[in-house]
PDB file of all heavy atoms in Angstrom:
ATOM      1  N   VAL A 160      -0.659 -22.393  16.237  1.00 98.00           N
ATOM      2  CA  VAL A 160       0.273 -23.341  15.713  1.00 98.00           C
ATOM      3  C   VAL A 160       1.709 -22.681  15.702  1.00 98.00           C
ATOM      4  O   VAL A 160       1.879 -21.520  15.943  1.00 98.00           O
ATOM      5  CB  VAL A 160       0.035 -23.603  14.162  1.00 98.00           C
ATOM      6  CG1 VAL A 160      -1.339 -24.429  14.152  1.00 98.00           C
ATOM      7  CG2 VAL A 160      -0.310 -22.460  13.349  1.00 98.00           C
ATOM      8  N   PRO A 161       2.705 -23.525  15.640  1.00 98.00           N
ATOM      9  CA  PRO A 161       4.206 -23.039  15.737  1.00 98.00           C
ATOM     10  C   PRO A 161       4.815 -22.842  14.425  1.00 98.00           C
ATOM     11  O   PRO A 161       4.158 -22.944  13.376  1.00 98.00           O
ATOM     12  CB  PRO A 161       4.814 -24.390  16.360  1.00 98.00           C
ATOM     13  CG  PRO A 161       4.104 -25.435  15.833  1.00 98.00           C
ATOM     14  CD  PRO A 161       2.687 -25.048  15.583  1.00 98.00           C
ATOM     15  N   PHE A 162       6.112 -22.574  14.409  1.00 98.00           N
ATOM     16  CA  PHE A 162       6.827 -22.090  13.183  1.00 98.00           C
ATOM     17  C   PHE A 162       7.338 -23.379  12.306  1.00 98.00           C
ATOM     18  O   PHE A 162       7.598 -23.208  11.083  1.00 98.00           O
ATOM     19  CB  PHE A 162       7.945 -21.235  13.428  1.00 98.00           C
ATOM     20  CG  PHE A 162       9.275 -21.870  13.930  1.00 98.00           C
ATOM     21  CD1 PHE A 162      10.031 -22.485  12.963  1.00 98.00           C
ATOM     22  CD2 PHE A 162       9.617 -22.016  15.236  1.00 98.00           C
ATOM     23  CE1 PHE A 162      11.154 -23.198  13.578  1.00 98.00           C
ATOM     24  CE2 PHE A 162      10.672 -22.651  15.743  1.00 98.00           C
ATOM     25  CZ  PHE A 162      11.531 -23.257  14.756  1.00 98.00           C
ATOM     26  N   LYS A 186      -4.522 -19.185  14.582  1.00 98.00           N
ATOM     27  CA  LYS A 186      -3.483 -18.189  14.861  1.00 98.00           C
ATOM     28  C   LYS A 186      -2.126 -18.833  14.370  1.00 98.00           C
ATOM     29  O   LYS A 186      -1.597 -19.607  14.990  1.00 98.00           O
ATOM     30  CB  LYS A 186      -3.459 -17.910  16.351  1.00 98.00           C
ATOM     31  CG  LYS A 186      -3.102 -16.515  16.767  1.00 98.00           C
ATOM     32  CD  LYS A 186      -1.562 -16.111  16.281  1.00 98.00           C
ATOM     33  CE  LYS A 186      -0.548 -16.681  17.241  1.00 98.00           C
ATOM     34  NZ  LYS A 186       0.861 -16.515  16.767  1.00 98.00           N
ATOM     35  N   GLU A 189       3.887 -16.100  13.935  1.00 98.00           N
ATOM     36  CA  GLU A 189       4.276 -14.826  13.267  1.00 98.00           C
ATOM     37  C   GLU A 189       5.546 -15.012  12.416  1.00 98.00           C
ATOM     38  O   GLU A 189       5.896 -14.161  11.604  1.00 98.00           O
ATOM     39  CB  GLU A 189       4.278 -13.823  14.422  1.00 98.00           C
ATOM     40  CG  GLU A 189       5.383 -14.064  15.426  1.00 98.00           C
ATOM     41  CD  GLU A 189       4.815 -14.864  16.638  1.00 98.00           C
ATOM     42  OE1 GLU A 189       4.053 -15.829  16.269  1.00 98.00           O
ATOM     43  OE2 GLU A 189       5.146 -14.521  17.734  1.00 98.00           O
ATOM     44  N   VAL A 237      -0.036 -26.034  19.544  1.00 98.00           N
ATOM     45  CA  VAL A 237       1.151 -26.768  19.373  1.00 98.00           C
ATOM     46  C   VAL A 237       2.335 -25.718  19.455  1.00 98.00           C
ATOM     47  O   VAL A 237       2.333 -24.713  18.732  1.00 98.00           O
ATOM     48  CB  VAL A 237       1.160 -27.441  18.014  1.00 98.00           C
ATOM     49  CG1 VAL A 237       2.473 -28.279  17.843  1.00 98.00           C
ATOM     50  CG2 VAL A 237      -0.108 -28.379  17.880  1.00 98.00           C
ATOM     51  N   GLY A 238       3.402 -26.036  20.257  1.00 98.00           N
ATOM     52  CA  GLY A 238       4.433 -25.125  20.412  1.00 98.00           C
ATOM     53  C   GLY A 238       5.286 -25.568  21.526  1.00 98.00           C
ATOM     54  O   GLY A 238       5.444 -26.754  21.801  1.00 98.00           O
ATOM     55  N   SER A 239       6.063 -24.697  22.023  1.00 98.00           N
ATOM     56  CA  SER A 239       7.003 -24.939  23.131  1.00 98.00           C
ATOM     57  C   SER A 239       6.179 -25.349  24.500  1.00 98.00           C
ATOM     58  O   SER A 239       5.109 -24.920  24.617  1.00 98.00           O
ATOM     59  CB  SER A 239       7.927 -23.840  23.438  1.00 98.00           C
ATOM     60  OG  SER A 239       7.165 -22.731  23.798  1.00 98.00           O
ATOM     61  N   LEU A 260       0.099 -29.290  22.860  1.00 98.00           N
ATOM     62  CA  LEU A 260       1.279 -30.050  22.712  1.00 98.00           C
ATOM     63  C   LEU A 260       2.500 -29.213  22.905  1.00 98.00           C
ATOM     64  O   LEU A 260       2.642 -27.982  22.441  1.00 98.00           O
ATOM     65  CB  LEU A 260       1.306 -30.659  21.325  1.00 98.00           C
ATOM     66  CG  LEU A 260       0.169 -31.532  20.873  1.00 98.00           C
ATOM     67  CD1 LEU A 260       0.509 -32.262  19.594  1.00 98.00           C
ATOM     68  CD2 LEU A 260      -0.124 -32.676  21.889  1.00 98.00           C
ATOM     69  N   GLY A 261       3.497 -29.806  23.578  1.00 98.00           N
ATOM     70  CA  GLY A 261       4.754 -28.899  23.951  1.00 98.00           C
ATOM     71  C   GLY A 261       5.981 -29.442  23.179  1.00 98.00           C
ATOM     72  O   GLY A 261       5.859 -30.131  22.187  1.00 98.00           O
ATOM     73  N   GLY A 262       7.043 -29.129  23.790  1.00 98.00           N
ATOM     74  CA  GLY A 262       8.310 -29.486  23.178  1.00 98.00           C
ATOM     75  C   GLY A 262       8.726 -30.863  23.493  1.00 98.00           C
ATOM     76  O   GLY A 262       7.957 -31.686  23.916  1.00 98.00           O
ATOM     77  N   CYS A 294       9.573 -31.762  16.554  1.00 98.00           N
ATOM     78  CA  CYS A 294       9.214 -32.251  17.814  1.00 98.00           C
ATOM     79  C   CYS A 294       9.549 -33.823  17.912  1.00 98.00           C
ATOM     80  O   CYS A 294       9.588 -34.334  19.001  1.00 98.00           O
ATOM     81  CB  CYS A 294       7.904 -31.863  18.260  1.00 98.00           C
ATOM     82  SG  CYS A 294       6.604 -32.778  17.298  1.00 98.00           S
ATOM     83  N   GLU A 388      15.577 -29.206  25.388  1.00 98.00           N
ATOM     84  CA  GLU A 388      15.284 -29.240  23.896  1.00 98.00           C
ATOM     85  C   GLU A 388      16.202 -28.211  23.187  1.00 98.00           C
ATOM     86  O   GLU A 388      16.254 -26.988  23.531  1.00 98.00           O
ATOM     87  CB  GLU A 388      13.819 -28.923  23.671  1.00 98.00           C
ATOM     88  CG  GLU A 388      13.525 -28.874  22.178  1.00 98.00           C
ATOM     89  CD  GLU A 388      11.959 -28.571  21.878  1.00 98.00           C
ATOM     90  OE1 GLU A 388      11.468 -27.669  22.567  1.00 98.00           O
ATOM     91  OE2 GLU A 388      11.474 -29.383  20.985  1.00 98.00           O
ATOM     92  N   PHE A 455      -1.462 -38.766  16.989  1.00 98.00           N
ATOM     93  CA  PHE A 455      -0.190 -38.205  17.197  1.00 98.00           C
ATOM     94  C   PHE A 455      -0.295 -37.494  18.695  1.00 98.00           C
ATOM     95  O   PHE A 455      -1.147 -36.676  18.783  1.00 98.00           O
ATOM     96  CB  PHE A 455       0.277 -37.139  16.124  1.00 98.00           C
ATOM     97  CG  PHE A 455       1.615 -36.623  16.379  1.00 98.00           C
ATOM     98  CD1 PHE A 455       2.680 -37.045  15.664  1.00 98.00           C
ATOM     99  CD2 PHE A 455       1.798 -35.659  17.393  1.00 98.00           C
ATOM    100  CE1 PHE A 455       3.916 -36.572  15.850  1.00 98.00           C
ATOM    101  CE2 PHE A 455       3.059 -35.153  17.525  1.00 98.00           C
ATOM    102  CZ  PHE A 455       4.153 -35.618  16.778  1.00 98.00           C
TER     103      PHE A 455
HETATM  104  P1  NAD B  24       6.311 -21.244  20.487  1.00 86.18           P
HETATM  105  O1  NAD B  24       5.760 -21.847  21.773  1.00 86.18           O
HETATM  106  O2  NAD B  24       7.175 -20.136  20.685  1.00 86.18           O
HETATM  107  O3  NAD B  24       5.070 -20.521  19.727  1.00 86.18           O
HETATM  108  C1  NAD B  24       4.007 -21.390  19.354  1.00 86.18           C
HETATM  109  C2  NAD B  24       2.839 -20.350  19.183  1.00 86.18           C
HETATM  110  O4  NAD B  24       2.530 -19.761  20.522  1.00 86.18           O
HETATM  111  C3  NAD B  24       3.009 -19.264  18.163  1.00 86.18           C
HETATM  112  O5  NAD B  24       1.787 -19.146  17.357  1.00 86.18           O
HETATM  113  C4  NAD B  24       3.304 -18.040  18.969  1.00 86.18           C
HETATM  114  O6  NAD B  24       2.875 -16.849  18.325  1.00 86.18           O
HETATM  115  C5  NAD B  24       2.526 -18.247  20.350  1.00 86.18           C
HETATM  116  N1  NAD B  24       3.362 -17.712  21.492  1.00 86.18           N
HETATM  117  C6  NAD B  24       4.704 -17.551  21.605  1.00 86.18           C
HETATM  118  N2  NAD B  24       5.013 -17.000  22.841  1.00 86.18           N
HETATM  119  C7  NAD B  24       3.769 -16.871  23.393  1.00 86.18           C
HETATM  120  C8  NAD B  24       3.372 -16.456  24.775  1.00 86.18           C
HETATM  121  N3  NAD B  24       4.294 -16.111  25.782  1.00 86.18           N
HETATM  122  N4  NAD B  24       2.035 -16.406  25.120  1.00 86.18           N
HETATM  123  C9  NAD B  24       1.224 -16.799  24.169  1.00 86.18           C
HETATM  124  N5  NAD B  24       1.459 -17.295  22.960  1.00 86.18           N
HETATM  125  C10 NAD B  24       2.834 -17.331  22.692  1.00 86.18           C
HETATM  126  O7  NAD B  24       6.886 -22.374  19.644  1.00 86.18           O
HETATM  127  P2  NAD B  24       7.684 -22.272  18.341  1.00 86.18           P
HETATM  128  O8  NAD B  24       8.971 -21.804  18.593  1.00 86.18           O
HETATM  129  O9  NAD B  24       6.858 -21.649  17.275  1.00 86.18           O
HETATM  130  O10 NAD B  24       7.736 -23.896  17.942  1.00 86.18           O
HETATM  131  C11 NAD B  24       8.725 -24.684  18.270  1.00 86.18           C
HETATM  132  C12 NAD B  24       8.253 -25.502  19.467  1.00 86.18           C
HETATM  133  O11 NAD B  24       7.081 -26.247  19.192  1.00 86.18           O
HETATM  134  C13 NAD B  24       9.317 -26.595  19.899  1.00 86.18           C
HETATM  135  O12 NAD B  24       9.265 -26.570  21.339  1.00 86.18           O
HETATM  136  C14 NAD B  24       8.704 -27.814  19.362  1.00 86.18           C
HETATM  137  O13 NAD B  24       9.064 -29.008  20.042  1.00 86.18           O
HETATM  138  C15 NAD B  24       7.216 -27.592  19.521  1.00 86.18           C
HETATM  139  N6  NAD B  24       6.374 -28.491  18.597  1.00 86.18           N
HETATM  140  C16 NAD B  24       5.766 -29.488  19.317  1.00 86.18           C
HETATM  141  C17 NAD B  24       5.102 -30.393  18.609  1.00 86.18           C
HETATM  142  C18 NAD B  24       4.338 -31.569  19.233  1.00 86.18           C
HETATM  143  O14 NAD B  24       3.666 -32.192  18.466  1.00 86.18           O
HETATM  144  N7  NAD B  24       4.591 -31.833  20.427  1.00 86.18           N
HETATM  145  C19 NAD B  24       4.923 -30.215  17.161  1.00 86.18           C
HETATM  146  C20 NAD B  24       5.540 -29.064  16.498  1.00 86.18           C
HETATM  147  C21 NAD B  24       6.354 -28.209  17.318  1.00 86.18           C
END
Side-chain angles (χ1 to χ4, degrees):
V160 293
F162 81 80
K186 209 299 279 172
E189 58 275 40
V237 182
S239 60
L260 300 192
C294 64
E388 180 177 44
F455 186 102

